Amino acid sequence: AATEWLGLLGVRLRLPAPAVGTALLLHHRFLASRFAKTVEAELAAITAIYLASKMEETPLELRDVVTTAYRVLHPTEPVLPVATRYSRLRESVVQCELLLLRILDFDLEPRTAHKDLLHYIRAVGTQPLFKGPGGSALLQDVAQLAWMLTCDYYHTSACVRHPAPHIAAAMIAMAVGMLAVPLPSGWFEPLWPQATDDDIMTVARPLIDMYEAGRPPPSPDTISAEAHQLLQAASGHAPVHTATQQAPNEQVNSAGRNPLQPQSGSGSSGAQASSDVTAPTPGTPPGVPAEAPERDPHTGVEDPHMGGSHAAAAATPSSH
């Protein structure tokens, strides 16, 4: 699926999870527009990653995005020649970016649920259950599972239909239900006032359907060290440092063919595009090295680069 490929590209480019979520949100908005059939899916995904990196203030070089995307799609092909195919693909991304901006009506502040999730984890952490013996570890489990659910949620088209705070609240409710955490009645009210079980299920159902359709099951190893540090800070732990892992232009591809498809003779001699970001060996899970965290200017919480993850097989959220 295009969203799976887009998520993999985000990891290869070492984007934080909120930026990958923004890219997925942009991609879904593009697919919902009347221009969806005028641009190749891969080109739209590359453009979404490139634009999202700038919107989330983690800008990438267009050269790195183009060359890494090509290597992810065609791991056995030679590096793109600069004078021919790389130049055409680069120009296609620039034109597609203008198209995407018009589709967004130049709204450059889309909101994903990741920051709301961190605030809500702090609120949930005030429950007496998490203050007793073993409570902090249990809260950390809830936070990690909710984070993975949130990352996965942006692979569904439902992310464009629901407000980010509601997505964050519903993902915490799912995590609590999946872990069978015995929270008292009314614990959910501060997160989403007057919400009913039906409201939560309306948000959560697309993700549950995706899991039932074959999404990989959860694993503690799928969350990155950077995300682990951030969630520890949100749930009241001291951070640990462990290594774990455009104006619309319907003629976007003026060459008349998909520039991402390899050509015969593409390995000919000549100047070639290089990238500072290289794709890992095919079949090897991409690693996301730990980096010095930054602090969120609004919350003061450490906000390091984070990786997305595959979350659990679905379960119904608990009653609240």
Side-chain angles (χ1 to χ4, degrees):
T3 58
E4 293 286 344
W5 180 82
L6 192 155
L8 174 61
L9 178 59
V11 172
R12 296 287 177 90
L13 290 166
R14 301 175 185 176
L15 278 177
V20 175
T22 298
L24 288 164
L25 180 62
L26 298 182
H27 187 62
H28 284 300
R29 290 187 63 176
F30 175 80
L31 293 178
S33 75
R34 64 190 179 93
F35 298 101
K37 295 182 179 180
T38 67
V39 178
E40 295 89 349
E42 294 88 353
L43 179 58
I46 294 172
T47 305
I49 279 279
Y50 178 56
L51 182 57
S53 74
K54 295 189 286 186
M55 295 167 72
E56 291 292 333
E57 299 184 357
T58 54
L60 297 169
E61 293 289 342
L62 181 54
R63 175 198 63 188
D64 293 339
V65 176
V66 169
T67 55
T68 303
Y70 189 84
R71 291 194 64 184
V72 171
L73 280 172
H74 309 292
T76 62
E77 291 293 321
V79 178
L80 282 168
V82 170
T84 55
R85 309 214 48 246
Y86 167 78
S87 298
R88 289 200 303 270
L89 180 53
R90 186 182 187 281
E91 181 61 24
S92 295
V93 174
V94 171
Q95 294 298 321
C96 190
E97 183 182 23
L98 296 175
L99 173 61
L100 184 54
L101 286 170
R102 284 293 296 271
I103 291 172
L104 297 173
D105 198 21
F106 291 90
D107 176 13
L108 300 182
E109 296 183 357
R111 182 176 179 182
T112 59
H114 297 82
K115 287 186 178 180
D116 295 288
L117 181 71
L118 297 178
H119 291 301
Y120 290 169
I121 288 296
R122 293 191 190 95
V124 173
T126 62
Q127 291 291 327
L129 174 66
F130 298 120
K131 301 297 184 181
S136 60
L138 181 59
L139 179 61
Q140 183 70 14
D141 290 342
V142 171
Q144 289 190 354
L145 181 54
W147 182 268
M148 291 188 286
L149 291 169
T150 300
C151 291
D152 282 352
Y153 195 84
Y154 283 88
H155 287 269
T156 74
S157 60
C159 66
V160 303
R161 300 195 298 268
H162 300 291
H166 291 179
I167 294 174
M171 296 305 99
I172 292 177
M174 281 189 68
V176 168
M178 292 165 72
L179 295 173
V181 180
L183 288 173
S185 175
W187 72 270
F188 192 75
E189 182 69 16
L191 309 187
W192 188 350
Q194 301 181 344
T196 65
D197 288 339
D198 288 341
D199 293 330
I200 299 172
M201 184 56 68
T202 298
V203 176
R205 172 52 62 185
L207 184 61
I208 294 174
D209 291 342
M210 185 177 73
Y211 292 147
E212 290 177 344
R215 183 81 170 182
S219 168
D221 297 331
T222 58
I223 191 163
S224 70
E226 292 81 7
H228 184 72
Q229 292 174 13
L230 186 73
L231 293 170
Q232 279 193 320
S235 56
H237 291 257
V240 295
H241 299 281
T242 58
T244 66
Q245 96 150 164
Q246 279 174 31
N249 182 351
E250 300 190 18
Q251 303 298 324
V252 172
N253 180 9
S254 58
R257 60 179 180 272
N258 187 349
L260 289 169
Q261 295 301 321
Q263 290 179 297
S264 59
S266 60
S268 59
S269 60
Q272 295 183 331
S274 62
S275 172
D276 294 333
V277 182
T278 58
T281 303
T284 302
V288 183
E291 298 181 7
E294 299 178 354
R295 290 192 174 272
D296 187 293
H298 303 292
T299 65
V301 177
E302 288 186 348
D303 189 9
H305 286 187
M306 300 163 290
S309 61
H310 292 300
T316 304
S318 64
S319 299
H320 56 278

